[in-house]
């Protein structure tokens, strides 16, 4: 493909001396246009984004491209090879989740060094798309920082049925800091003045055609929104705007969770609706009557019944009109 290069770069070095590498694809349509950075598989089990970028590579016509696209289909080879969300403790016990350390540190832990190597490419971009994949129990959605108009415009162009704004820093709940969300790639980039979004495509660990199609249409839409490709963004779902105040109901104890509601993800719910029961499988004792904690959109509902205390059971986003 004319205008396309693929470069192997070193992210970090393993204890054995083996260099940990990944591939950075660059599509150059000339200087007359912005730079878009897109990456996938920052969490290794979230593979639909990688397939999106492969399909995007096959369909992109660089002769019609204005500007430059930098794409990294496997941002974290460590977790990708292990089909995992985090890296083993032996490799990075301090920062097992790569999406908590941005913009990284070239002299830091393994994940910090990896993030710093990718940040060299991402920090030169005019916009960023960080492709992720939720579980099959989560509604496909796009997250952007509350109050950032350019990021919101990217989210609206990308599409999906749910657009979630997330407050950050002092505007967010205490949980936001407790979970080190300030080190998310999207947050770090937005704070540096780079409009950024995090699409959460449905399903992980398996390539799902509907998720890939949504992601591919979304990436092309972002390019069109930035005037990097001709034509206007096309419909990609029926977007509903909501706010995520980390609205989630967690398991009060360990046990078996039985869903007793007919609700599906994407449904509107009211606070106090009974969703299910958490009980002790050995004694049959009820540990928790699980209810929604707010009015809004049910965008995740755990279907795996065996849960540990503190695990997420459901999430509700707050509807907004502005």
């Amino acid at each position: 493909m004319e205008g396309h290069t693929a470069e192997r770069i070193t992210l970090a070095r393993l204890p054995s001396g083996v260099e940990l590498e990944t591939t950075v694809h660059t599509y150059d349509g000339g200087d007359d246009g912005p730079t878009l950075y897109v990456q996938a598989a920052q969490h290794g089990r979230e593979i639909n984004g990688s397939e999106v970028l492969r399909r995007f590579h096959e369909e992109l016509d660089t002769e019609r491209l204005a500007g430059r696209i930098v794409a990294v289909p496997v941002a974290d080879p460590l977790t990708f090879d292990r089909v995992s969300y985090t890296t083993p403790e032996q490799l990075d016990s301090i920062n097992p989740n790569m999406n908590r350390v941005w913009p990284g540190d070239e002299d830091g832990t393994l994940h910090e060094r990896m993030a710093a190597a990718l940040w060299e490419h991402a920090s030169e971009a005019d916009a960023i798309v960080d492709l992720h994949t939720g579980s099959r129990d989560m509604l496909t959605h796009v997250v952007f920082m509350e109050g950032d108009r350019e990021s919101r415009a990217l989210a609206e162009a990308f599409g999906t049925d749910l657009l979630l704004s997330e407050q950050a820093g002092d505007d967010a709940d205490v949980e936001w800091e407790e979970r080190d969300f300030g080190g998310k790639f999207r947050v770090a980039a937005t704070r540096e003045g780079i409009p950024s979004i995090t699409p959460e495509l449905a399903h992980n660990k398996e390539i799902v055609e509907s998720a890939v199609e949504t992601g591919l249409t979304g990436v092309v839409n972002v390019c069109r929104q930035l005037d990097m490709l001709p034509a206007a963004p096309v419909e990609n779902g029926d977007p509903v705007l909501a706010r995520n105040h980390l609205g989630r109901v967690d398991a009060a104890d360990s046990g078996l969770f039985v869903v007793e509601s007919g609700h599906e993800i994407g449904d509107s719910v009211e606070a106090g609706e009974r969703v299910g029961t958490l009980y002790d499988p050995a004694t049959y004792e009820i540990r928790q009557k699980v209810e929604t904690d707010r009015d809004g959109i049910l965008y995740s509902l755990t279907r795996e019944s065996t849960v540990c205390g503190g695990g997420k059971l459901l999430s509700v986003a707050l509807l907004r009109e502005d």
Side-chain angles (χ1 to χ4, degrees), residues 263-309:
H263 279 308
E264 300 290 340
I265 54 174
D267 287 352
S268 296
V269 296
E270 297 180 354
E273 288 192 38
R274 183 72 173 272
V275 176
T277 301
L278 179 68
Y279 72 93
D280 186 320
T283 68
Y284 313 138
E285 179 182 358
I286 293 177
R287 295 294 187 185
Q288 182 180 358
K289 296 178 180 179
V290 180
E291 300 177 341
T292 55
D293 64 337
R294 64 189 66 198
D295 298 349
I297 299 174
L298 181 68
Y299 73 96
S300 78
L301 177 61
T302 295
R303 295 290 181 178
E304 292 186 8
S305 297
T306 305
V307 299
C308 293

Side-chain angles (χ1 to χ4, degrees), residues 19-306:
E19 291 185 341
L20 186 65
E21 297 181 330
T22 197
T23 301
V24 177
H25 295 265
T26 301
Y27 306 89
D28 196 344
D31 296 331
D32 186 21
T35 295
L36 172 66
Y37 177 91
V38 189
Q39 71 174 28
Q42 186 177 177
H43 298 134
R45 68 189 184 192
E46 301 177 8
I47 55 175
N48 279 293
S50 302
E51 177 64 6
V52 166
L53 292 182
R54 185 183 73 85
R55 306 257 185 110
F56 182 74
H57 170 83
E58 291 182 341
E59 295 186 13
L60 179 64
D61 181 358
T62 52
E63 292 185 359
R64 305 177 70 195
L65 177 67
R68 189 168 65 109
I69 298 171
V70 179
V72 182
V74 181
D76 189 342
L78 285 177
T79 55
F80 191 93
D81 289 344
R82 291 164 177 79
V83 196
S84 65
Y85 186 77
T86 57
T87 198
E89 181 180 359
Q90 295 92 331
L91 294 177
D92 197 334
S93 60
I94 299 175
N95 297 300
N97 187 341
M98 186 178 178
N99 203 24
R100 298 294 185 272
V101 302
W102 294 87
D105 181 352
E106 63 181 11
D107 297 317
T109 68
L110 202 61
H111 265 154
E112 288 176 324
R113 292 170 187 245
M114 293 166 63
L118 291 175
W119 184 254
E120 290 185 15
H121 298 271
S123 61
E124 297 179 353
D126 299 293
I128 287 175
V129 177
D130 184 22
L131 293 169
H132 284 251
T133 300
S135 71
R136 65 182 63 195
D137 303 325
M138 177 181 288
L139 183 68
T140 298
H141 61 278
V142 181
V143 188
F144 63 95
M145 187 180 290
E146 173 71 25
D148 192 274
R149 292 185 178 182
E150 291 183 275
S151 295
R152 174 173 169 171
L154 291 181
E156 291 173 338
F158 190 98
T160 75
D161 290 337
L162 182 63
L163 309 180
L164 275 182
S165 65
E166 181 184 79
Q167 292 184 312
D170 294 338
D171 295 326
D173 295 340
V174 174
E175 184 184 1
W176 194 88
E177 288 292 348
E178 290 177 344
R179 297 174 66 186
D180 295 326
F181 282 181
K184 286 184 177 182
F185 180 37
R186 170 181 51 79
V187 173
T190 305
R191 284 175 164 172
E192 287 295 317
I194 308 172
S196 305
I197 58 173
T198 304
E200 292 278 0
L201 306 175
H203 295 273
N204 56 37
K205 297 184 180 180
E206 60 177 322
I207 301 298
V208 177
E209 189 62 26
S210 59
V212 175
E213 290 177 356
T214 296
L216 179 58
T217 299
V219 172
V220 172
N221 275 349
V222 167
C223 291
R224 289 170 171 169
Q225 172 71 18
L226 296 170
D227 294 324
M228 301 178 73
L229 289 176
V234 301
E235 183 177 317
N236 193 24
D238 187 14
V240 173
L241 186 63
R243 180 176 289 117
N244 174 18
H245 282 289
L246 300 176
R248 51 184 281 171
V249 175
D250 293 334
D253 204 342
S254 299
L256 285 181
F257 176 46
V258 180
V259 176
E260 299 164 335
S261 167
H263 279 308
E264 300 290 340
I265 54 174
D267 287 352
S268 296
V269 296
E270 297 180 354
E273 288 192 38
R274 183 72 173 272
V275 176
T277 301
L278 179 68
Y279 72 93
D280 186 320
T283 68
Y284 313 138
E285 179 182 358
I286 293 177
R287 295 294 187 185
Q288 182 180 358
K289 296 178 180 179
V290 180
E291 300 177 341
T292 55
D293 64 337
R294 64 189 66 198
D295 298 349
I297 299 174
L298 181 68
Y299 73 96
S300 78
L301 177 61
T302 295
R303 295 290 181 178
E304 292 186 8
S305 297
T306 305

